Amino acid sequence: MRRKIVAGNWKMNLDYQQGISLFSEIINMVKDEVRGDQHVVVCSPFIHLHAISQLAKGHPRVSTGAQNCYAEAAGAYTGEISAAQVTSTGATYVILGHSERRIYFGEDGYLLSKKVDLALKSGLSPIFCVGETLEERESDQYFDVIRQQLEAGVFHLSNEAFKNIILAYEPVWAIGTGLTASPQQAQEVHAFIRNEIAAHYNQEVADSTSVLYGGSCNPGNAPDLFSQADIDGGLIGGASLKSRDFVEIVKVYNA
Ligand code: 13P
């Protein structure tokens, strides 16, 4: 019904040569492992995108993506990269709304909605991240926070446009901390997200949207997380930098 996606987010790691060699390993190890409705996405720094997209050619279930793009189409924005420039590398996905961008770079809902629009216009599928801080979880505000992030970032889209969105629930307190949301905690939020989509669009759109979990996901905890009814894969940070760990996570769907 909906695609199972394991996406790697390399963040600001790996020089050019290290990135090419990691991606080559990943392609060789996963090419016979991904089948049916499974999909693997590697979101690298911009410098690797064209080369790894070339390496992914001929592997229809392996795609590449950026980790950001700018909220304007082109022009005098020194140092920024547009969605159309990302598309020109051969990449087909872009992570938007990651908490590291929200927190360190002050990206808010309005800016993110502009990025989402431009990404879609350029033919990219946004992997749109939502998630609460520890304080917001402990004060029971997490449903409200996630609803607001969805409303500001993606719920302005039409039914048709929304079908190109992948969502990722990444609790901020679980990112890079070794603390993972329990399968029950994650499932509770994933079900909430799916209900919000159904309420805003309809059940068919909700049932066909892939919602990934991210936050200290590794080969040990991925099987329990991915077996939850509303978890459709993972957005993997640290463990995506080791080919063996990343491929173990990809293989969870074959077990
Ligand atoms: P970690 O897997 O390193 O916790 O990172 C998760 C993440 O932020 C993926 O986007």
Side-chain angles (χ1 to χ4, degrees):
M1 185 167 53
R2 47 185 179 258
R3 285 184 312 155
K4 305 295 183 195
I5 299 170
V6 175
N9 175 8
W10 288 357
K11 307 193 180 183
M12 196 177 72
N13 292 297
L14 309 171
D15 67 21
Y16 179 76
Q17 288 76 11
Q18 290 167 331
I20 302 310
S21 111
L22 175 59
F23 191 80
S24 307
E25 278 172 38
I26 290 172
I27 277 275
N28 280 331
M29 291 163 79
V30 301
K31 62 177 192 265
D32 301 320
E33 301 289 345
V34 270
R35 27 191 113 97
D37 57 2
Q38 265 185 279
H39 210 90
V40 172
V41 183
V42 172
C43 297
S44 74
F46 294 120
I47 59 161
H48 304 107
L49 273 184
H50 180 253
I52 66 171
S53 301
Q54 292 290 115
L55 292 170
K57 273 191 178 161
H59 302 287
R61 292 193 176 83
V62 181
S63 303
T64 57
Q67 300 168 16
N68 182 31
C69 59
Y70 195 50
E72 299 292 339
Y77 302 101
T78 301
E80 291 298 329
I81 305 274
S82 74
Q85 288 173 320
V86 171
T87 304
S88 75
T89 68
T92 47
Y93 289 80
V94 60
I95 298 173
L96 292 173
H98 194 284
S99 60
E100 287 151 16
R101 303 269 344 152
R102 292 178 190 264
I103 294 166
Y104 303 141
F105 302 96
E107 298 196 357
D108 62 12
Y110 174 66
L111 181 91
L112 291 170
S113 70
K114 286 175 65 179
K115 292 188 175 196
V116 165
D117 290 346
L118 281 166
L120 289 170
K121 204 169 157 200
S122 298
L124 298 172
S125 296
I127 302 175
F128 188 80
C129 305
V130 297
E132 80 285 0
T133 62
L134 187 57
E135 198 189 341
E136 290 160 348
R137 172 154 285 266
E138 287 177 340
S139 56
D140 264 339
Q141 287 174 280
Y142 54 104
F143 289 140
D144 289 341
V145 167
I146 290 164
R147 180 186 291 117
Q148 279 161 18
Q149 290 171 338
L150 291 170
E151 281 174 357
V154 287
F155 277 179
H156 64 289
L157 297 171
S158 68
N159 271 25
E160 265 325 291
F162 190 83
K163 287 181 183 162
N164 297 305
I165 299 287
I166 291 140
L167 294 174
Y169 169 53
E170 297 209 316
V172 178
W173 48 273
I175 296 177
T177 58
L179 287 176
T180 316
S182 69
Q184 294 70 29
Q185 284 174 319
Q187 168 58 25
E188 181 193 37
V189 173
H190 282 237
F192 169 78
I193 290 172
R194 206 173 301 288
N195 280 337
E196 290 293 305
I197 302 171
H200 197 85
Y201 296 98
N202 57 50
Q203 195 62 45
E204 190 213 326
V205 174
D207 287 340
S208 58
T209 303
S210 298
V211 186
L212 317 183
Y213 168 79
S216 299
C217 192
N218 60 44
N221 57 33
D224 281 347
L225 286 161
F226 293 4
S227 66
Q228 301 298 310
D230 290 291
I231 299 185
D232 307 308
L235 182 54
I236 320 296
S240 74
L241 297 170
K242 296 185 201 114
S243 55
R244 202 173 293 250
D245 284 359
F246 185 63
V247 173
E248 282 302 303
I249 298 172
V250 170
K251 282 171 27 182
V252 166
Y253 280 117
N254 295 343

